[in-house]
């Protein structure tokens, strides 16, 4: 039996964060009452004409530069013709043979192995509206309702080369892509909210064969997990099919997240000939090199560069630096915190530990949290100067995370200040000694461990507020005097 | 002279001197419509009440000596493919029989700003596809010169309304001759401006790279006045030209001395009726007599224009007309699944010619045929345009017949190809994007002959000058039909 | 113009059916026949373009030399909901209702 290898390419749609839609002045706003962010242009009413939003062009170029693309000197729009009720003009204004960006790449690392994934092209296009199906599924609903609020929201489609060979590589590429696009600030790139959407082209071939196998396009991948799981499933399915003597057919499949399978979507007859032709309503774009340079100069530091820099300048491990730079928000939070509290290790440990645990549990991004870099720095300061112990700090942080309160206020309100004052601790220590003669005996008999129990008793009595170092020191002094 | 034969500049004079009010004028115009409309059938919709209301408002402005538009109080009408907020806009198609736009076309806005009075919307070949108005989804319009003959098309209603004195001016649209051919057939002045000179925003598209709005008027002076009102850069139309637009009336000069006029030989001879050619030659002699330098010239790719056009226009139309799917507006044929709803709605809503062009265009763009048809046509279009570019290095304008014949009887051109050939003299102009004006020059077989003047891009002024000079020096251009009134 | 060049029929009934489906036009059998005949006649007439040498000629998609028409990213007016829906053949909950997809 032959060994198979998978060939994977991704088509990623990213919604651009502009104020208005791509071809009209309607607000580019998520949600809203149906059909309230619409005008004659995005409703595709007879007689209306598109006018390109300058910001869309600029954002597309920014994304292209971040992804190492060449920016076209001459680019144009084309019409992609197909009938569907969510597409008011029955054509989508997109780009066909002369996209705005081409020939880019991203470097990924999977299992310690570096790999370059090619980016074929990035093009600009308009989003379609939304259909609400009345019924449990699309197949057993009697009717659908069309809402055109999303129609005309600007998108860029980023098409990769078929350079990935496993679901892990695909996921790594997608994560990297998200980080890079997010850094440029052109999009929120949130898969869960649909501002980043991914379709995967998957095929398999016997190892050693150069020719590609027949591919299936997988849609409805709404999370990173889904991308990984769907590709894994599809690779298995195709291999099984071939090994069973079957044959792969070129088709579109949809990922069923609940059942964990991909299913064939009944392809509509005659719907695959899009009859692209140059959009006569939009003149071409001629992009000057000075304009491209201007945009290049204004790009922020990108993840790979930032990672290298904080490893070198701040001594973070490659892993830690990788996590910290995996999103722009995280990296910015880190930078700002370090600026106030200059201990990069402590800051990264806190962010990657306690903070990310709570963020993940809540399902929010770091910049949506009530804890600001100033507050985190303050908390770390309290630990450093001995006001609170590391353990208490976690309790304080939890309170900060839910209420957004200043750590000093939390410490004061809850009375959590660490007790380092020896005179305050002496009586408690004496009490512990008096109440635990057995431990005292053990200690005297040379069992060093016994002191731990006594420290614990003191901590318990002070609800964790006693400074453990001071308690240890005082205990040893007292015991040696006995 | 009967008031309905007056021009804009004549009636404007009466309004300025307060010899007539806008309400009086509108009432008279509505009365004229009532007398002849049942014979001419130029209108799809008549907005009588709105027109009178508007006339009252304008009279109030005039009484208070408020600042007023250049065409204040002039009753006019629009081809029914220009959007009017709150007024039905149908393209003379069943598929849009009930469509009420929630917005105004840019030309509509501009004419409102000039304080004109909208009388209604005019009949046309469905979606501007045709040369006779026989393709209207509702009814054909008649030629005011001979009610048994076609008014031309697609802007047949616009041409007939002006010729019959039902409006002081109208707007039409021209994709392959749809202003100039009916202007010729009805004996009025029609101008297709340079592509990009009049905003297409709100003009329901047939073929986007060819469509252009322009005026129908009773004389050349009126043509300049209306151009002043409707031309100009529009941010809502990305193909609108951001250039300086002149006051077109400054070109109304009686002078062609030394002007170089080219006579492209491809527009004469075979395929052109002898009596039409004779009238055009008469006009040429007149211009020479008036001091113009007239020379024969050549536009060598002319014979390819018709085929080029009948690939590009249907291809664009197949895409432009896809939106009529029964989902958001217009006709809907009820069906229990989507593909059926789409296909039945479009079957019921579109007429034969529109279907034919959608089919032809879809075919020309479909996988495997794009290069052979569409791309080839775009390349030939390049060659046709450079023919004109070269000619205009030498000539100020070109002169040709507008149409190969005068108006014909209803039903005379059953074969689509013979109808398409109606536009052989007008189509190359749209492909090149340059302006062209058709004006009457006498009669043949008791029907008007159209003379076409073609200019370089944004050279409308030159065309107006030549036309004005001809108008001042002959009695062949200001001709009016005697329209049979309804009993 | 295409591979079938030289044959009389450029478009047979099968082609007509395919194009009609792409165009979302239901045609009767008679209409298919008629469309096929007329389209063939028209396409025959277009053969004349084969006589033109277009090697090295750039296709002309825009007749005016206009480029880079862009607008500022500034929010403008939207349609009032009732105007957005005023032409809807079928409306439900502020949306356009259509029959089932498949």
């Amino acid at each position: 039996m032959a060994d198979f290898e998978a060939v994977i390419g991704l088509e990623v749609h990213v919604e651009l964060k502009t104020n208005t839609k791509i071809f009209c002045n309607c607000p580019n706003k998520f949600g809203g009452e149906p059909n309230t962010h619409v005008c004659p242009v995005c409703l595709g009413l007879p007689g209306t004409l598109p006018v390109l939003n300058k910001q869309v062009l600029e954002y597309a170029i920014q994304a292209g530069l971040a992804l190492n693309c060449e920016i076209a000197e001459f680019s144009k729009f084309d019409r992609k013709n197909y009938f569907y009720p969510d597409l008011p003009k029955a054509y989508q204004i997109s780009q066909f043979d002369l996209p705005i960006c081409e020939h880019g790449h991203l470097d990924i690392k999977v299992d310690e192995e570096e790999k370059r994934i090619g980016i074929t092209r990035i093009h600009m296009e308009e989003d379609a509206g939304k259909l609400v199906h009345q019924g449990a599924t699309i197949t057993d609903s009697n009717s659908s309702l069309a809402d055109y609020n999303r129609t005309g929201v600007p998108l860029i489609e980023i098409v990769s080369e078929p350079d990935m060979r496993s679901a892990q590589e695909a996921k790594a590429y997608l994560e990297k892509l998200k980080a890079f696009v997010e850094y440029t600030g052109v999009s929120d790139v949130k898969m869960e909210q649909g501002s980043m959407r991914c379709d995967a082209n998957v095929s398999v071939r016997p190892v050693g064969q150069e020719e590609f196998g027949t591919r299936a396009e997988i849609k409805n991948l709404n999370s990173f997990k889904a991308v990984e799981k769907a590709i894994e499933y599809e690779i298995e399915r195709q291999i099984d099919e071939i090994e069973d003597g079957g044959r792969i057919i070129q088709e579109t499949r949809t990922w069923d997240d609940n059942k964990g399978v991909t299913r064939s979507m009944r392809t509509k007859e005659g719907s695959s000939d899009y009859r692209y032709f140059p959009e006569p309503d939009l003149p071409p774009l001629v992009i000057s090199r000075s304009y491209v340079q201007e945009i290049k100069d204004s790009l922020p530091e990108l993840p790979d560069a930032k990672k290298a820099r904080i490893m070198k300048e701040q001594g973070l491990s490659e892993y830690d630096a990788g996590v910290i730079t995996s999103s722009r928000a995280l990296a910015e939070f880190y930078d700002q915190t370090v600026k106030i509290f200059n201990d990069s290790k402590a800051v990264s440990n806190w962010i990657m530990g306690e903070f990310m645990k709570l963020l993940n549990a809540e399902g929010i991004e770091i910049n949506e949290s009530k804890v600001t870099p100033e507050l985190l720095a303050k908390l770390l300061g309290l630990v450093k100067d001995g006001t609170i112990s590391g353990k208490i700090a976690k309790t304080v942080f939890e309170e900060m995370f839910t209420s957004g309160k200043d750590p000093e206020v939390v410490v004061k309100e809850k009375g959590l200040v660490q007790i380092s004052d020896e005179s305050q601790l002496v009586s408690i220590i004496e009490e512990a000694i008096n109440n635990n003669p057995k431990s005292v005996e053990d200690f005297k008999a040379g069992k060093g461990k016994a002191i731990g129990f006594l420290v614990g008793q003191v901590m318990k009595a002070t609800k964790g507020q006693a400074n453990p170092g001071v308690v240890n020191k005082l205990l040893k002094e007292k015991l040696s005097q006995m | 002279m009967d008031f309905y034969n007056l021009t804009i500049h004549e009636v404007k004079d009466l309004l300025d001197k307060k010899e007539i009010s806008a309400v009086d004028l509108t009432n008279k115009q509505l009365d004229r419509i009532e007398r002849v409309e049942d014979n001419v059938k130029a209108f799809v919709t008549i907005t009588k009440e709105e027109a009178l209301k508007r006339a009252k408002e304008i009279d109030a402005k005039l009484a208070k000596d408020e600042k007023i538009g250049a065409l204040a109080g002039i009753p006019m009408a629009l081809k029914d493919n220009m959007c009017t907020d709150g007024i039905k806009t149908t393209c003379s198609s069943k598929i849009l029989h009930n469509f009420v736009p929630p917005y105004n076309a840019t030309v509509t806005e501009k004419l409102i700003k000039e304080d004109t009075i909208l009388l209604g919307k005019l009949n046309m070949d469905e979606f501007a596809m045709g040369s006779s108005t026989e393709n209207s989804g509702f009814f054909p319009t008649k030629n005011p010169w001979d009610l048994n003959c076609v008014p031309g098309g697609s802007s047949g209603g616009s041409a007939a309304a002006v010729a019959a004195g039902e409006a002081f001016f109208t707007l039409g649209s021209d994709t392959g001759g749809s202003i100039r051919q009916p202007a010729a057939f009805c004996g009025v002045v029609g101008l297709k401006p340079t592509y990009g000179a009049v905003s297409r925003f709100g003009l329901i598209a047939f073929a986007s790279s060819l469509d252009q709005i322009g005026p129908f008027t009773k004389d050349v002076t009126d043509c300049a006045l209306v151009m002043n009102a409707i031309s100009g850069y529009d941010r809502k139309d990305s193909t609108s030209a951001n250039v300086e637009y002149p006051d077109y009336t400054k070109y109304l000069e009686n002078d062609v001395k030394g002007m170089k006029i080219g006579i492209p030989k491809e527009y004469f001879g075979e395929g052109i009726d002898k009596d039409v050619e004779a009238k055009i030659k008469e006009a040429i002699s007149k211009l020479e007599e008036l001091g113009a330098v007239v020379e024969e010239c050549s536009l060598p790719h002319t014979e390819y224009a018709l085929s080029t056009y009948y690939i590009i226009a249907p291809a664009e139309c197949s895409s432009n007309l896809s939106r009529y799917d029964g989902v958001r507006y217009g006709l809907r044929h009820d069906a229990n699944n989507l593909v059926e709803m789409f296909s039945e709605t479009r079957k019921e809503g579109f007429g034969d010619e529109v279907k034919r062009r959608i089919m032809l265009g879809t075919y020309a763009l479909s996988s495997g045929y794009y290069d052979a048809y569409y791309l080839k046509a775009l390349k030939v279009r390049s060659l046709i345009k450079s023919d004109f570019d070269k000619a205009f290095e030498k000539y100020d304008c070109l002169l040709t017949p507008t149409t190969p014949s005068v108006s014909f009887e209803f039903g005379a051109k059953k074969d689509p190809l013979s109808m398409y050939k109606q536009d052989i003299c007008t189509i190359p102009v749209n492909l090149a994007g340059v302006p062209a004006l058709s004006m009457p020059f006498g009669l043949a077989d008791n029907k008007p002959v159209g003379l076409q003047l073609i200019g370089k891009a944004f050279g409308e002024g030159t065309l107006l000058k030549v036309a004005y000079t001809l108008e001042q020096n002959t009695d062949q251009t200001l001709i009016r039909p005697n329209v049979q009134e309804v009993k | 113009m295409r591979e079938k060049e030289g044959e009389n029929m450029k478009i047979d009934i099968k082609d007509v059916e395919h194009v009609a489906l792409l165009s979302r036009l239901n045609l009767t059998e008679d209409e298919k026949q008629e469309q096929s005949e007329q389209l063939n006649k028209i396409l025959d007439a277009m053969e004349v373009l084969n006589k033109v040498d277009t090697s090295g000629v750039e296709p002309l998609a825009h007749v005016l030399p206009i480029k880079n028409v862009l607008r500022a990213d500034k929010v403008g007016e939207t349609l009032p909901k009732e105007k957005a829906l005023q032409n809807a053949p079928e409306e439900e909950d502020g949306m356009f209702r259509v029959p089932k997809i498949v």
Side-chain angles (χ1 to χ4, degrees), chain B residues 140-179:
Chain B
T141 296
K142 316 281 177 61
N143 191 321
W145 289 83
D146 181 344
L147 299 177
N148 295 314
C149 287
V150 303
S154 66
S155 313
S158 304
V162 172
E166 294 184 277
F168 284 90
F169 74 92
T170 61
L171 296 189
S173 66
D174 189 316
T175 307
S178 282
I179 289 175

Side-chain angles (χ1 to χ4, degrees), chain C residues 52-80:
Chain C
V52 192
D53 179 9
T54 50
S55 47
V57 177
E58 282 293 312
L60 182 80
H62 294 274
V63 79
L64 290 180
I66 297 178
K67 58 177 195 204
N68 299 348
V69 179
L70 301 162
R71 74 180 163 80
D73 186 22
K74 247 178 79 187
V75 175
E77 255 181 69
T78 54
L79 274 178

Side-chain angles (χ1 to χ4, degrees), chain B residues 167-273:
Chain B
F168 284 90
F169 74 92
T170 61
L171 296 189
S173 66
D174 189 316
T175 307
S178 282
I179 289 175
R180 290 157 290 158
Q181 188 254 14
F185 277 15
C186 294
V188 296
V189 175
L191 173 67
K192 183 210 92 82
T194 308
Y195 184 81
V198 178
S199 171
R200 292 187 297 117
F201 187 78
L203 168 69
I204 300 183
F206 158 19
S208 315
S209 78
L210 301 160
D211 295 343
Q212 188 60 199
I213 292 174
F216 285 89
T217 54
K218 293 170 188 165
D219 72 0
V220 179
T221 302
D222 282 4
C223 181
L225 288 171
V226 179
M227 275 303 286
N228 278 351
I230 63 172
S231 64
Y233 175 60
D234 181 13
R235 283 174 193 287
K236 291 179 185 165
D237 176 358
S238 303
T239 62
S240 165
N242 193 356
V243 296
E244 282 278 338
Y245 289 87
D247 171 0
Y248 292 95
T249 59
K250 77 175 189 205
Y251 295 101
L252 301 172
E253 276 182 276
N254 183 359
D255 178 19
V256 290
K257 270 189 212 73
M259 192 175 272
K260 297 189 86 177
I261 300 175
I263 311 295
K265 61 178 183 197
E266 291 82 3
Y267 289 68
F268 293 85
E270 201 197 331
I272 307 292
D273 280 6

Side-chain angles (χ1 to χ4, degrees), chain B residues 85 98-102 195 238-241 303-304 307-308 310-311 326-330 332 335-338 340-344 346-347 355-356 358-360 362-363 369 372-373 375-376 378-383 385 415-417 420 431-433, chain C residues 1-2 10-11 15-16 18-28 31 34-35 38-39 41-43 45-54 57-64 66 69 79 83-84 86-90 96-102:
Chain B
D85 192 348
N98 56 357
F99 175 61
V100 178
Y195 184 81
S238 303
T239 62
S240 165
E303 68 165 307
Y304 309 115
S307 295
T308 303
Y310 275 100
I311 292 169
V327 176
R328 291 157 302 277
Y329 44 78
R332 153 147 353 158
N336 51 21
N337 75 64
L338 201 66
E340 218 34 42
M341 191 277 273
F342 285 164
S343 303
E344 282 295 321
R346 292 164 63 78
K347 174 200 170 109
K355 283 180 191 163
R356 185 154 45 241
I358 289 173
M359 294 283 290
L360 183 58
T362 303
Y363 178 76
Y369 302 111
Y373 289 105
L375 194 63
K376 180 81 182 179
L378 290 187
K379 288 178 178 175
V380 179
R381 185 175 184 185
S382 249
L383 295 172
K385 181 174 182 287
D415 171 44
L417 272 174
Y420 297 172
L431 291 170
Chain C
M1 274 194 158
R2 51 177 282 206
K10 291 192 170 341
I11 298 192
D15 294 330
V16 167
H18 173 68
V19 174
L21 178 63
L22 277 180
S23 315
R24 296 290 184 272
L25 280 173
N26 273 355
L27 300 178
T28 63
E31 282 173 323
E34 202 187 324
Q35 285 276 356
Q38 283 170 344
L39 289 176
K41 252 199 223 171
I42 295 166
L43 291 171
M46 285 173 181
E47 285 291 310
V48 69
L49 291 186
N50 282 335
K51 294 201 304 189
V52 192
D53 179 9
T54 50
V57 177
E58 282 293 312
L60 182 80
H62 294 274
V63 79
L64 290 180
I66 297 178
V69 179
L79 274 178
K83 275 192 121 177
Q86 75 185 16
N87 287 288
E90 233 185 300
F96 299 85
R97 191 167 183 272
V98 292
K100 67 176 179 187
I101 309 282
V102 283

Side-chain angles (χ1 to χ4, degrees), chain A residues 315-317 319-321 323-324 334 337-338 341 343-357 366 376 380 394 397:
Chain A
L316 252 52
S317 71
Y319 176 80
D320 289 3
V323 174
I324 289 296
Y334 166 84
T337 313
V338 168
F341 185 79
D343 180 343
S344 51
K345 271 255 158 56
V347 173
S348 68
N349 282 342
W350 262 90
I351 291 177
M352 290 166 62
E354 210 51 28
F355 206 164
M356 280 179 74
K357 195 175 86 192
I366 198 160
L376 178 61
L380 294 177
K394 285 187 184 170
F397 186 78

Side-chain angles (χ1 to χ4, degrees), chain A residues 10-17 62-63 66-67 105-108 117 119 122 156 158 160 164 169-198 221-225 227 300-304 322-331 356 360 363-368:
Chain A
L10 297 185
E11 289 170 14
V12 179
H13 284 93
V14 170
E15 271 182 10
L16 299 178
K17 216 164 54 178
Q62 269 183 36
L67 300 174
H105 65 260
L106 273 181
D107 294 327
I108 59 165
I117 307 297
I119 290 170
I122 302 177
I156 49 174
I158 304 164
S160 85
M164 289 154 274
E169 286 184 7
K171 183 164 170 262
Y173 164 78
L174 198 60
E175 278 171 347
K176 198 86 183 246
L177 184 71
K178 176 186 157 83
F180 269 67
V181 173
E182 197 210 354
Y183 267 61
T184 62
V186 307
S187 170
D188 288 333
V189 277
K190 286 185 184 153
M191 283 198 94
E192 288 70 19
Q193 288 177 20
S195 58
M196 177 162 103
R197 291 167 239 159
C198 176
L221 305 174
N222 297 324
S223 66
F224 285 93
K225 261 234 158 63
V227 171
E301 189 181 28
L302 294 168
D304 285 1
V323 174
I324 289 296
T325 55
S326 67
S327 90
R328 177 173 169 165
L330 216 54
M356 280 179 74
N360 288 341
I364 58 170
E365 300 274 337
I366 198 160
N367 51 351
E368 293 163 334

